[in-house]
Amino acid sequence: MATVNKNLSVYDKATIPNANGLRFGIVVSEWNSEITEGLCSGAFKALLDCGAQESDIIRWNVPGSFELIFGSKKMINSHKLDAVIAIGSVIQGETKHFDFVCEATAQGIKDLNITTNVPVIFCVLTDNNMQQAIDRSGGKHGNKGTEAAIAAIKMAVLGS
Ligand code: INI
């Protein structure tokens, strides 16, 4: 597995574009909120650390990961943004629900990247159990929210 013994949130600031003046949206799913709050906090801190202003970051909550698609679309249509980070945590249960939510959310966010002019970063953990989610939202494998923020900055300035 790619993340074994790997901390995902280490970045070299010298290689990241300055985010001062860029505007970001963060859409956060309320499902497994102890995980999504950790991811959001990692993303927020990394954006600020790379130069973004707190007043240039908008956060909205949505009920579940499936709603990240509409939430991100509506945010793009109502604010002038350079990138959006969609944050969710889906954890495998006993039924096929996990597969449908993961598939639809990934496809929906992919569709937004094709149809709108604002990059939407996929920061949705899809884990087999809660421990895997804890390990990736500020635990032993770092914080995928941090990684998403760096991706958002890079995509916001792509081609400029
Ligand atoms: N949504 C999640 O974000 N994570 C989950 O683990 C989850 N599970 O397990 O069901 C989940 N379901 C809700 C789904 O995202 C929608 O909110 C719901 O289907 C209403 O559209």
Side-chain angles (χ1 to χ4, degrees):
M1 196 170 49
T3 55
V4 170
N5 300 324
K6 226 182 189 182
N7 185 320
L8 302 167
S9 50
V10 177
Y11 59 90
D12 176 6
K13 221 158 90 175
T15 67
I16 314 293
N18 192 314
N20 186 33
L22 298 174
R23 293 174 52 82
F24 298 94
I26 304 181
V27 186
V28 184
S29 159
E30 290 169 345
W31 256 84
N32 302 316
S33 62
E34 64 277 39
I35 302 301
T36 57
E37 287 303 325
L39 294 169
C40 183
S41 161
F44 208 87
K45 280 184 198 153
L47 291 176
L48 295 181
D49 185 44
C50 291
Q53 303 300 308
E54 200 168 335
S55 55
D56 284 334
I57 304 172
I58 299 164
R59 175 194 164 145
W60 286 4
N61 277 14
V62 293
S65 291
F66 186 80
E67 284 74 38
L68 290 171
I69 306 158
F70 184 83
S72 299
K73 183 178 75 170
K74 187 159 186 179
M75 191 184 258
I76 288 167
N77 287 336
S78 25
H79 293 275
K80 190 173 169 357
L81 297 169
D82 296 294
V84 169
I85 302 170
I87 292 179
S89 163
V90 197
I91 298 180
Q92 179 88 60
E94 290 178 357
T95 70
K96 285 186 172 174
H97 193 67
F98 172 88
D99 303 287
F100 286 106
V101 173
C102 293
E103 177 74 14
T105 305
Q107 290 295 332
I109 291 176
K110 179 265 290 174
D111 289 346
L112 290 180
N113 279 284
I114 295 171
T115 55
T116 79
N117 279 322
V118 177
V120 182
I121 306 303
F122 184 73
C123 183
V124 180
L125 295 185
T126 56
D127 294 305
N128 295 326
N129 53 57
M130 180 57 82
Q131 190 58 51
Q132 288 182 341
I134 291 169
D135 291 345
R136 290 158 178 78
S137 55
K140 72 176 180 190
H141 289 312
N143 194 320
K144 276 280 189 184
T146 309
E147 208 181 313
I150 303 304
I153 295 167
K154 289 180 174 176
M155 292 306 291
V157 301
L158 190 70
S160 64

